[in-house]
Amino acid sequence: MDAGYTGEQGSATTGEQVMNTTFARRMDSVRSSTIREILKVTEQPDIISFAGGLPAPELFPVAEILSATERVLGESNAAGSLQYSPTEGFAPLRETFAAESRKRGIDCSADDILITTGSQQPLDLAGKIFLNEGDCVLTENPTYLAAIQAFQIYEVRFAAVPTDGGGLIPEALPALIERERPKFLYTIPNFQNPTGVTLTAERRQTLYSIAARYGLIVLEDDPYGSLRYAGKSIPPIKSLDTEGIVIYLSTISKTIAPGLRVGWAVAAANILGKMTIAKQAADLHTSSFDQRIVHRYLAEFDSEAHIELIRRSYGERFLIMDASLRESMPPGFDWTHPEGGMFLWVTCPEGVDTNELMREALVRKVLFVPGRDFFPDASGQRFMRLNFSNATPEQIREGIQRLAKVCQTTAIA
Ligand SMILES: Cc1ncc(COP(=O)(O)O)c(C=O)c1O
């Protein structure tokens, strides 16, 4: 019902009354995130932000995207890129993503691919097709905050799988599965957001065999796997999937550009069919135009060389951030050493509340995301997430000095 309907409730309404009487109950359980509030101030020119999960904009392949766009519009069937198109996605791009998924170790064909509006959309689609009110979702703790939001909409419960430096601990799963009867496990095995931690190969095997034993659906979210700047790639959990229980998600957001909003899901036919229906109801299809641009870009330019450039740059930025933290942070602060991706995770001494730290950080014009938002139960006060892909090396050095001063002040207080 549109906002005009509220006028029928009698006297003039305030925003407060609309909120109480009109919005669906499901919105009550969705937390607004601190990150959105923080991002509002990042526009100020002298702020250094380690808060957003943004790729480096200077590495976007602008000239190549321009050229791909011109070619798409110059084609004899250019109108096709401006027309409605099938929900499953542009067939040649489904082929491209199937080939990319096979390179990563996943046995699939174009028929197993659903093109999605970023990899954010299939989180919602998974919620739509699996979750009823009161259902349980297993997640790493902490986990990606917009996944928490996506599932919270469906009025679910969360149960945390314990994690350490090797990712989630699969041995903890059987007891959790038996107690909580979860609908699915959501996991980010590569350079996890927010911790930067990677799930070991052994644990992927163990996780998969436990999931297969219990028939547990695994939602494997892999936006960062191609951004490995150290160590060796580990095949996705989906590569082990003989039972059709793993839904694999990936995206071009971190390897080409997030503004294009193109991602993909690989799943068994029965799951993909339901996701396709849910997507049809949500947006009919991902932009025909954007899909064709992405297809042209991947067909005609050396995207691997471009990803190599991103890897090298992010690897350098991580090393600069790590060295700057070592030089200037007070004792008692520790952080992860990811081999790829865009984030590291700082553990502060017991008793520090990073929401409090944030106030002082704003005064000193440096931003991070306090840990709380990444925990479904809003615990995690002593953690902070730092993004190292978006700031320049100079900004990283300066920003970490500012952050260290904030931490020193608080540690002394
Ligand atoms: C773990 C994770 N999943 C999904 C997404 C959504 O990415 P997109 O919708 O741009 O593909 C992000 C974005 O930062 C992310 O970190």
Side-chain angles (χ1 to χ4, degrees):
M1 196 60 66
D2 69 36
Y5 179 72
T6 58
E8 290 180 23
Q9 291 168 1
S11 59
T13 54
T14 64
E16 193 60 31
Q17 281 165 308
V18 172
M19 193 117 81
N20 292 338
T21 57
T22 310
F23 293 122
R25 193 190 56 226
R26 73 177 69 89
M27 293 309 294
D28 295 348
S29 54
V30 184
R31 289 203 327 249
S32 88
S33 80
T34 317
I35 202 166
R36 303 274 165 253
E37 301 306 311
I38 294 170
L39 289 177
K40 284 184 202 159
V41 298
T42 55
E43 301 302 311
Q44 295 174 23
D46 45 354
I47 287 267
I48 296 179
S49 177
F50 303 130
L54 307 181
E58 66 277 18
L59 297 179
F60 292 151
V62 176
E64 290 83 352
I65 293 293
L66 173 61
S67 161
T69 307
E70 282 171 351
R71 288 181 207 187
V72 165
L73 290 176
E75 282 168 356
S76 54
N77 63 344
S81 67
L82 302 175
Q83 186 56 283
Y84 286 117
S85 57
T87 305
E88 290 82 354
F90 181 47
L93 188 60
R94 292 175 83 198
E95 294 282 356
T96 305
F97 287 153
E100 174 60 29
S101 305
R102 284 195 297 273
K103 259 205 275 178
R104 298 179 190 184
I106 298 169
D107 180 17
C108 67
S109 71
D111 288 345
D112 307 312
I113 305 285
L114 173 66
I115 293 182
T116 53
T117 302
S119 53
Q120 185 66 33
Q121 181 177 48
L123 302 180
D124 177 60
L125 299 182
K128 277 205 171 77
I129 70 168
F130 289 117
L131 300 177
N132 292 314
E133 183 184 346
D135 280 346
C136 176
V137 174
L138 291 181
T139 66
E140 285 136 4
N141 202 29
T143 188
Y144 173 47
L145 65 90
I148 300 176
Q149 284 182 319
F151 306 143
Q152 259 172 350
I153 292 269
Y154 296 98
E155 301 175 271
V156 294
R157 297 174 293 120
F158 292 92
V161 187
T163 56
D164 63 15
L168 66 79
I169 300 170
E171 289 74 13
L173 284 172
L176 272 169
I177 295 169
E178 281 170 29
R179 195 180 70 223
E180 305 288 349
R181 303 278 158 201
K183 276 293 182 68
F184 59 77
L185 163 70
Y186 170 69
T187 181
I188 310 157
N190 292 316
F191 323 123
Q192 198 237 18
N193 182 0
T195 61
V197 161
T198 291
L199 187 68
T200 65
E202 295 71 27
R203 287 189 180 181
R204 291 178 197 215
Q205 294 270 1
T206 314
L207 184 162
Y208 181 73
S209 38
I210 294 169
R213 179 155 27 106
Y214 285 94
L216 177 71
I217 299 286
V218 177
L219 189 54
E220 179 179 26
D221 190 7
D222 187 21
Y224 302 108
S226 330
L227 303 185
R228 178 178 279 281
Y229 49 72
K232 280 178 69 173
S233 289
I234 306 174
I237 304 166
K238 181 69 180 163
S239 70
L240 309 167
D241 187 17
T242 49
E243 306 286 323
I245 55 170
V246 182
I247 305 169
Y248 178 81
L249 311 179
S250 197
T251 176
I252 57 103
S253 286
K254 319 296 178 185
T255 51
I256 307 177
L260 289 161
R261 309 305 304 132
V262 174
W264 75 98
V266 189
N270 58 341
I271 297 175
L272 212 66
K274 290 267 194 281
M275 286 176 78
T276 307
I277 294 168
K279 180 174 165 62
Q280 211 158 45
D283 67 353
L284 301 182
H285 59 80
T286 295
S287 158
S288 317
F289 191 39
D290 290 352
Q291 290 188 66
R292 283 175 197 235
I293 292 168
V294 170
H295 174 255
R296 273 286 183 161
Y297 168 81
L298 289 171
E300 293 181 18
F301 294 96
D302 189 350
S303 57
E304 259 312 306
H306 180 69
I307 295 172
E308 188 51 40
L309 195 73
I310 299 173
R311 281 191 202 114
R312 229 176 309 125
S313 169
Y314 291 2
E316 273 166 26
R317 291 178 203 212
F318 162 70
L319 290 177
I320 291 167
M321 184 172 275
D322 181 49
S324 306
L325 286 165
R326 269 188 281 124
E327 274 161 29
S328 51
M329 287 295 265
F333 288 78
D334 201 6
W335 54 91
T336 55
H337 295 80
E339 294 186 325
M342 310 195 330
F343 306 106
L344 61 81
W345 183 243
V346 179
T347 305
C348 306
E350 201 79 61
V352 170
D353 180 342
T354 51
N355 276 66
E356 299 283 318
L357 274 192
M358 195 64 217
R359 266 183 228 137
E360 180 65 20
L362 278 171
V363 174
R364 293 193 186 261
K365 296 189 181 293
V366 60
L367 300 179
F368 61 85
V369 188
R372 204 181 66 118
D373 279 344
F374 302 100
F375 291 78
D377 62 1
S379 64
Q381 284 84 345
R382 62 187 285 223
F383 302 100
M384 62 174 107
R385 188 191 74 177
L386 300 183
N387 166 274
F388 53 80
S389 59
N390 187 247
T392 63
E394 298 67 38
Q395 289 171 325
I396 292 175
R397 289 191 192 93
E398 169 62 24
I400 294 296
Q401 278 193 14
R402 293 183 196 177
L403 183 64
K405 289 205 181 91
V406 173
C407 294
Q408 275 154 9
T409 319
T410 314
I412 291 163

